Amino acid sequence: MSLAQHFTLTQFLIEERRRHPDATGDFNSLILNIAVACKRISRTVACGALGDMHGSAGGALNVQGEQQQNLDVLSNDVFLQVNEWGGNLAGMASEELEEPYQIPEVYPRGRYLLTFDPLDGSSNIDVNVSVGSIFSILRAPEGTDVVCEEDFLQPGTSQVAAGYAIYGPSTMLVLTIGEGVHGFTLDPMLGEFVLTHPDLRVPEETREFAINASNSRFWEVPVKRYVDECLAGAAGPRGKDFNMRWIASMVAEAHRILMRGGVFMYPRDTKDPGKPGRLRLLYEANPIAFIIEQAGGRASTGRQALLSVEPTGLHQRIGVVFGSKQEVERIERYHTEPFAGELENPLFNERGLFRLPA
Ligand code: F6P
């Protein structure tokens, strides 16, 4: 094993700081605090039903109107408690909180903003399928004392760092600080994240796609066309067979795509006109998009690069397509070019699988 394979997250961050002699160390301590939060959540998740934390939070709904799980609430509290005291944050925003979180007056304030989804895919907890935490770090506007929603409305290109922890058969922390993507595996005996996957790259080509096909009747034509062509396999226009996957845990899908390629879609659809997509821009789509692009993949709304979207709301939803570059570019192309096959394609006609909405 090379020395790099024994590097802990702390050592990795110290090395990074040596390369940036003007860095104060604030950023490193923020990342290490986030890592502590993820370790604590990992421990609770790993206890499963033994931990008394399974189940829904007494019928409570979060700001999105979704059923909150006990572990959602606990993970949110862990993120807030571990990160509020460090002196490096001006404020936080969470999937579970309607308003930005103010740093309590007893603690010093810092230069960064943290947005997070404390437990993504939490509907999977009770069935013991991988879940994760997603985070994004932004710079706070100069002189920020009390944070407000507008402070967080920065495009994904402004992210200083982003990452996720995946709580699966092993716990991993995957991090970008804008210079590639690195994966750290939690050594449960050591209690440390150890660099096991330096310089992750998303393979450019793939034969695997992920989408919730139960929404197919609500999809827009470019998405229907793309999926239809994948399903047609070797005999269709793509000339090759594809696998389909759906875990319903975006962190787990993003991780699979980082490891072996693929494309993930939760596109804009017509299911609920009030919701232009399922996933949240600031603490789900943008951090994953930053990671995927730093690993050589691409992330898009279908219509524009995800990272270039100017946010309009803290909990804004957005259509998301990410993964292997060539596939995402193809899906973007399908959004701009007219599709001649739309009317005569049997999959889109009256009795077809992907009937167009009236
Ligand atoms: O909140 C986000 C999320 O749990 C993602 O992790 C996942 O990709 C998606 O929702 C699953 O959505 P659905 O239940 O529609 O398949």
Side-chain angles (χ1 to χ4, degrees), residues 120-121 212 246 248-250 264 266 278-280 284:
D120 176 63
N212 181 346
W246 190 248
S249 179
M250 187 181 57
F264 171 95
Y266 216 124
R278 165 88 161 87
L279 302 174
R280 275 54 59 111
E284 291 183 319

Side-chain angles (χ1 to χ4, degrees), residues 48 80 92 110 136 138 143 169-170 176 183 198 225 238 246 262 301 303:
L80 295 176
M92 295 183 248
S136 160
L138 298 163
S170 61
T176 182
R225 175 186 175 189
R238 302 298 308 273
W246 190 248
T301 65
R303 291 167 169 79

